[in-house]
Amino acid sequence: MDSLFADEAFERRPRLVSPGAVWLPGYLDERAQEWIIARWSQWQAGPVPAHSTRIGGHPMSVKTIGLGWHWRPGAYDRRARDVNNETVLPFPDWMTRLGRQVIDSAAEAVARDDDQPGSAASVWGLTASDYEPDVALVNYYDETAKMGMHQDKDEYDPAPVVSLSLGDTCIFRFGNSESRNRPYEDIRLASGDAFVFGGPARFAYHGVTKILPGTAPDHGRLSHLGGGRINITMRTTGRD
Ligand code: SIN
Ligand code: MN
């Protein structure tokens, strides 16, 4: 049994998962989680509601809202041509500030940890104040939704991706840049966790293999959605 509890997957401390990839468990406090979760209803009110993006003719099991840009496989557009042709909501300023804070904290956490030589910040190629994300993909996972292993590669700018998790815990599989296969690590992303991947990890394959129903803390429960998980990823499209 000792080995079960020694498993890294259950350890919740900030750490470098692979060069360029940093996990910050419990980054958002209770108030911040509640506040961000409450934003969902505004975003859902449109003009472009959450929808299941089609990939190769099949709808994804997650429902997505784009802020700043609308994403379709291979394309970013201001309008949601595959939904209702409306223009998406702007990328919120508070999210830029939050993204910069996450980058800053992630860099600090890595630098502080003697067990982890090699600074993630130096490989991201930017400092927090230069981080200018212009799109957020807000994904809602019901209890059965998943996301297959993929690379985030529709952005032209190599800036890091900042990810925030709210609601139920998921199993987030974070791998390598060569293929969907091993080596990868399964990480339990819980409500309030932040995760940054950039530099050599920017094109790492990743996915969500499972939602763990009913695991959200009280302040992180998505009661207006009947449970499940929200993930927000901020990215820099490099488009205009
Ligand atoms: C994504 O890969 O875009 C989402 C990852 C996640 O839900 O944690
Ligand atoms: Mn992704």
Side-chain angles (χ1 to χ4, degrees), residues 13-72:
R13 62 181 173 98
R15 69 179 168 90
L16 196 61
V17 170
S18 72
V22 181
W23 176 29
L24 298 174
Y27 183 79
L28 298 168
D29 66 20
E30 297 187 5
R31 230 181 101 236
Q33 291 175 48
E34 283 170 350
W35 189 85
I36 297 173
I37 289 168
R39 302 279 79 69
W40 172 271
S41 310
Q42 292 173 356
W43 297 333
Q44 172 64 12
V48 184
H51 67 289
S52 295
T53 304
R54 296 183 84 83
I55 299 193
H58 300 285
M60 293 175 75
S61 56
V62 302
K63 289 191 159 54
T64 307
I65 297 176
L67 304 175
W69 291 88
H70 179 76
W71 175 78
R72 270 178 302 145

Side-chain angles (χ1 to χ4, degrees), residues 60 62 137 139 141 147-148 150-152 161 163-165 170-173 189 195 197 206-208 211 229-233 235:
M60 293 175 75
V62 302
L137 299 185
N139 286 321
Y141 296 73
M147 194 179 289
H150 66 279
Q151 294 168 298
D152 291 358
V161 174
S163 147
L164 303 171
S165 293
C170 77
I171 309 287
F172 178 61
R173 180 165 289 177
L189 287 185
F195 195 95
F197 54 104
H206 58 277
V208 172
I211 301 296
R229 170 177 184 258
I230 289 174
N231 173 261
I232 300 175
T233 50
R235 305 128 185 254

Side-chain angles (χ1 to χ4, degrees), residues 51-137:
H51 67 289
S52 295
T53 304
R54 296 183 84 83
I55 299 193
H58 300 285
M60 293 175 75
S61 56
V62 302
K63 289 191 159 54
T64 307
I65 297 176
L67 304 175
W69 291 88
H70 179 76
W71 175 78
R72 270 178 302 145
Y76 276 110
D77 205 323
R78 298 291 185 187
R79 285 170 176 243
R81 296 181 198 278
D82 55 338
V83 185
N84 58 5
N85 213 28
E86 295 286 342
T87 300
V88 297
L89 290 170
F91 185 86
D93 286 343
W94 63 263
M95 224 185 258
T96 303
R97 293 193 292 273
L98 178 56
R100 289 176 181 171
Q101 285 167 17
V102 172
I103 296 269
D104 207 33
S105 304
E108 225 175 76
V110 173
R112 209 170 42 223
D113 196 330
D114 288 339
D115 295 333
Q116 300 172 348
S119 150
S122 65
V123 297
W124 289 333
L126 52 70
T127 50
S129 57
D130 296 325
Y131 188 52
E132 293 279 2
D134 63 342
V135 63
L137 299 185

